[in-house]
Amino acid sequence: MLLLAVLLALVNDTSGSRNGRWRKRRLRGSHRAALDDYSALELDGCGRVFLDGGSNTGESVRAFIKGHFHSCGLRSPSRQYASYWSQLSQAERNAAMQPLKEPASFCVRSFEAAPALLPLLRRQEQDHRAQKYDVRFVEAALGNVTAPDESRRVVRYADNVWGVSASGLRWGDVHVGDKPVARETTSISGQSYDLRGIVARVRSLNASAVVAIKLDIEGSEYWALEPLVADPELLCSVSYLFVEFHSAASAGQRRVAQSYGLREDAFEHLKGRIHAAMERPGCRLKILWRSFWASCGDKQRFEWRSSEQTRDSTSTELPA
């Protein structure tokens, strides 16, 4: 009974949090979905799966198809690999990253939580599928809850067809200096998927499936990763993990993270546990690629904030 009381107190404590209701719902709702709730993702028959959290303009999917994730996987600093990586021959390293060199062998499922971007992404989906890539852009957030009506924050920051983004944190806590400026922020409800649940679904369908994950979800990566990292066996069924971490690059940002119910050392806490899992015998996870400034194959944030995507335009072309 004492343990139950403590847990209830933790779930209901929203003191000091500018986003207490949102955080509480996430904690309470985690893992409430059954495996059948993932059938819409069409994962049956997928021997390799690339889960892309944060489609944006579709740049990560294009980068994956072009083999950029293979380059990130093969040529990263040694600290991003398990300790045994330094002892591998070049041939062994090549073999470890070989699946990323074969993007056509993957089922690509890319998740976008800003509905305004989906019509533009659907056109890209048609083009990719015409070239025999199994790509699907999914109108949904990727987090730690599978539900049809999960709330989210959507920000309009530029008057152009691509100038909108879902954000897990307040815009200014993600983009230091509020550049680009959040012109309009709205709260909507829509489909959300639990990252851990998707990985479990893939594993239930094919225990030997190769799984690659990329997360650039504007602060929601902490909540999306926590349940997966808390299950080292399931985490170790993932082969490649590419994450852009937000609000962790400076001491000031880390202090702000606490107002969302996160630990001040949330990044280090996740990183340490992931690397500990990578050292487990038989763990498939080969790399935790991480950055505070960009996702693999993407512009650095200081470059992006002055890019075409952040400027007013009537063009419907992909921003350069």
PDB file of all heavy atoms in Angstrom, residues 13 60 62 94-95 98 108-109 232 237 247 249 288 298 319:
ATOM      1  N   ASP A  13       1.518  14.681  -8.984  1.00  0.00           N
ATOM      2  CA  ASP A  13       2.266  15.865  -8.593  1.00  0.00           C
ATOM      3  C   ASP A  13       2.594  16.695  -9.818  1.00  0.00           C
ATOM      4  O   ASP A  13       3.407  16.304 -10.638  1.00  0.00           O
ATOM      5  CB  ASP A  13       3.570  15.454  -7.895  1.00  0.00           C
ATOM      6  CG  ASP A  13       4.407  16.668  -7.526  1.00  0.00           C
ATOM      7  OD1 ASP A  13       3.851  17.785  -7.513  1.00  0.00           O
ATOM      8  OD2 ASP A  13       5.603  16.480  -7.268  1.00  0.00           O
ATOM      9  N   SER A  60      14.409  13.307 -43.629  1.00  0.00           N
ATOM     10  CA  SER A  60      15.066  12.125 -43.064  1.00  0.00           C
ATOM     11  C   SER A  60      14.802  10.884 -43.911  1.00  0.00           C
ATOM     12  O   SER A  60      15.685  10.035 -44.056  1.00  0.00           O
ATOM     13  CB  SER A  60      14.601  11.888 -41.626  1.00  0.00           C
ATOM     14  OG  SER A  60      15.098  12.878 -40.769  1.00  0.00           O
ATOM     15  N   ARG A  62      14.278  10.933 -47.152  1.00  0.00           N
ATOM     16  CA  ARG A  62      15.128  11.086 -48.336  1.00  0.00           C
ATOM     17  C   ARG A  62      16.579  10.764 -48.003  1.00  0.00           C
ATOM     18  O   ARG A  62      17.278  10.114 -48.795  1.00  0.00           O
ATOM     19  CB  ARG A  62      15.008  12.508 -48.895  1.00  0.00           C
ATOM     20  CG  ARG A  62      13.620  12.848 -49.424  1.00  0.00           C
ATOM     21  CD  ARG A  62      13.618  14.142 -50.240  1.00  0.00           C
ATOM     22  NE  ARG A  62      14.011  15.304 -49.464  1.00  0.00           N
ATOM     23  CZ  ARG A  62      13.199  16.022 -48.703  1.00  0.00           C
ATOM     24  NH1 ARG A  62      11.914  15.685 -48.607  1.00  0.00           N
ATOM     25  NH2 ARG A  62      13.634  17.082 -48.038  1.00  0.00           N
ATOM     26  N   ASN A  94      31.814  -2.741 -41.416  1.00  0.00           N
ATOM     27  CA  ASN A  94      30.989  -2.645 -42.628  1.00  0.00           C
ATOM     28  C   ASN A  94      29.806  -3.601 -42.556  1.00  0.00           C
ATOM     29  O   ASN A  94      28.678  -3.247 -42.918  1.00  0.00           O
ATOM     30  CB  ASN A  94      31.836  -2.949 -43.866  1.00  0.00           C
ATOM     31  CG  ASN A  94      32.858  -1.872 -44.168  1.00  0.00           C
ATOM     32  OD1 ASN A  94      32.743  -0.741 -43.695  1.00  0.00           O
ATOM     33  ND2 ASN A  94      33.868  -2.217 -44.945  1.00  0.00           N
ATOM     34  N   ALA A  95      30.061  -4.800 -42.083  1.00  0.00           N
ATOM     35  CA  ALA A  95      28.997  -5.800 -41.991  1.00  0.00           C
ATOM     36  C   ALA A  95      27.933  -5.362 -40.978  1.00  0.00           C
ATOM     37  O   ALA A  95      26.732  -5.567 -41.197  1.00  0.00           O
ATOM     38  CB  ALA A  95      29.586  -7.157 -41.590  1.00  0.00           C
ATOM     39  N   GLN A  98      25.820  -2.770 -42.715  1.00  0.00           N
ATOM     40  CA  GLN A  98      25.389  -3.092 -44.074  1.00  0.00           C
ATOM     41  C   GLN A  98      23.888  -2.907 -44.315  1.00  0.00           C
ATOM     42  O   GLN A  98      23.496  -2.394 -45.367  1.00  0.00           O
ATOM     43  CB  GLN A  98      25.803  -4.525 -44.421  1.00  0.00           C
ATOM     44  CG  GLN A  98      25.456  -4.962 -45.839  1.00  0.00           C
ATOM     45  CD  GLN A  98      26.146  -4.139 -46.914  1.00  0.00           C
ATOM     46  OE1 GLN A  98      27.241  -3.603 -46.695  1.00  0.00           O
ATOM     47  NE2 GLN A  98      25.525  -4.019 -48.083  1.00  0.00           N
ATOM     48  N   VAL A 108       9.613   1.634 -44.296  1.00  0.00           N
ATOM     49  CA  VAL A 108       9.854   2.955 -43.713  1.00  0.00           C
ATOM     50  C   VAL A 108       8.530   3.524 -43.233  1.00  0.00           C
ATOM     51  O   VAL A 108       7.599   3.702 -44.026  1.00  0.00           O
ATOM     52  CB  VAL A 108      10.502   3.900 -44.736  1.00  0.00           C
ATOM     53  CG1 VAL A 108      10.671   5.296 -44.145  1.00  0.00           C
ATOM     54  CG2 VAL A 108      11.846   3.340 -45.207  1.00  0.00           C
ATOM     55  N   ARG A 109       8.432   3.805 -41.944  1.00  0.00           N
ATOM     56  CA  ARG A 109       7.227   4.394 -41.372  1.00  0.00           C
ATOM     57  C   ARG A 109       7.630   5.711 -40.698  1.00  0.00           C
ATOM     58  O   ARG A 109       8.340   5.718 -39.697  1.00  0.00           O
ATOM     59  CB  ARG A 109       6.575   3.446 -40.353  1.00  0.00           C
ATOM     60  CG  ARG A 109       6.199   2.091 -40.943  1.00  0.00           C
ATOM     61  CD  ARG A 109       5.121   2.209 -42.012  1.00  0.00           C
ATOM     62  NE  ARG A 109       4.746   0.921 -42.583  1.00  0.00           N
ATOM     63  CZ  ARG A 109       5.201   0.444 -43.744  1.00  0.00           C
ATOM     64  NH1 ARG A 109       6.082   1.155 -44.449  1.00  0.00           N
ATOM     65  NH2 ARG A 109       4.792  -0.722 -44.191  1.00  0.00           N
ATOM     66  N   PRO A 232      15.402  -3.219 -21.162  1.00  0.00           N
ATOM     67  CA  PRO A 232      16.660  -3.458 -21.883  1.00  0.00           C
ATOM     68  C   PRO A 232      16.573  -4.583 -22.908  1.00  0.00           C
ATOM     69  O   PRO A 232      17.217  -4.508 -23.973  1.00  0.00           O
ATOM     70  CB  PRO A 232      17.651  -3.799 -20.764  1.00  0.00           C
ATOM     71  CG  PRO A 232      17.075  -3.176 -19.543  1.00  0.00           C
ATOM     72  CD  PRO A 232      15.590  -3.286 -19.695  1.00  0.00           C
ATOM     73  N   SER A 237      16.659  -5.290 -28.986  1.00  0.00           N
ATOM     74  CA  SER A 237      16.187  -5.826 -30.265  1.00  0.00           C
ATOM     75  C   SER A 237      16.257  -4.768 -31.364  1.00  0.00           C
ATOM     76  O   SER A 237      16.029  -5.063 -32.539  1.00  0.00           O
ATOM     77  CB  SER A 237      14.746  -6.337 -30.129  1.00  0.00           C
ATOM     78  OG  SER A 237      13.826  -5.267 -29.958  1.00  0.00           O
ATOM     79  N   SER A 247      16.884  20.733 -25.662  1.00  0.00           N
ATOM     80  CA  SER A 247      16.934  21.343 -24.329  1.00  0.00           C
ATOM     81  C   SER A 247      17.932  20.639 -23.416  1.00  0.00           C
ATOM     82  O   SER A 247      17.665  20.403 -22.238  1.00  0.00           O
ATOM     83  CB  SER A 247      15.536  21.350 -23.685  1.00  0.00           C
ATOM     84  OG  SER A 247      14.705  22.256 -24.366  1.00  0.00           O
ATOM     85  N   ALA A 249      21.605  21.213 -24.280  1.00  0.00           N
ATOM     86  CA  ALA A 249      22.914  21.679 -24.729  1.00  0.00           C
ATOM     87  C   ALA A 249      23.571  22.647 -23.747  1.00  0.00           C
ATOM     88  O   ALA A 249      24.768  22.896 -23.835  1.00  0.00           O
ATOM     89  CB  ALA A 249      22.789  22.345 -26.099  1.00  0.00           C
ATOM     90  N   LEU A 288      24.285   4.483 -30.649  1.00  0.00           N
ATOM     91  CA  LEU A 288      23.401   5.551 -30.200  1.00  0.00           C
ATOM     92  C   LEU A 288      23.975   6.838 -30.790  1.00  0.00           C
ATOM     93  O   LEU A 288      24.824   7.497 -30.198  1.00  0.00           O
ATOM     94  CB  LEU A 288      23.335   5.642 -28.678  1.00  0.00           C
ATOM     95  CG  LEU A 288      22.629   6.901 -28.121  1.00  0.00           C
ATOM     96  CD1 LEU A 288      21.193   6.999 -28.609  1.00  0.00           C
ATOM     97  CD2 LEU A 288      22.688   6.937 -26.604  1.00  0.00           C
ATOM     98  N   ASP A 298      20.428  15.855 -41.661  1.00  0.00           N
ATOM     99  CA  ASP A 298      19.661  17.095 -41.617  1.00  0.00           C
ATOM    100  C   ASP A 298      20.604  18.286 -41.451  1.00  0.00           C
ATOM    101  O   ASP A 298      21.780  18.127 -41.122  1.00  0.00           O
ATOM    102  CB  ASP A 298      18.679  17.030 -40.435  1.00  0.00           C
ATOM    103  CG  ASP A 298      17.556  18.038 -40.550  1.00  0.00           C
ATOM    104  OD1 ASP A 298      17.481  18.723 -41.579  1.00  0.00           O
ATOM    105  OD2 ASP A 298      16.752  18.129 -39.606  1.00  0.00           O
ATOM    106  N   PRO A 319      11.735  23.148 -49.405  1.00  0.00           N
ATOM    107  CA  PRO A 319      12.743  24.149 -49.057  1.00  0.00           C
ATOM    108  C   PRO A 319      14.146  23.595 -49.223  1.00  0.00           C
ATOM    109  O   PRO A 319      14.400  22.418 -48.938  1.00  0.00           O
ATOM    110  CB  PRO A 319      12.444  24.474 -47.594  1.00  0.00           C
ATOM    111  CG  PRO A 319      11.690  23.281 -47.084  1.00  0.00           C
ATOM    112  CD  PRO A 319      10.926  22.736 -48.252  1.00  0.00           C
TER     113      PRO A 319
END
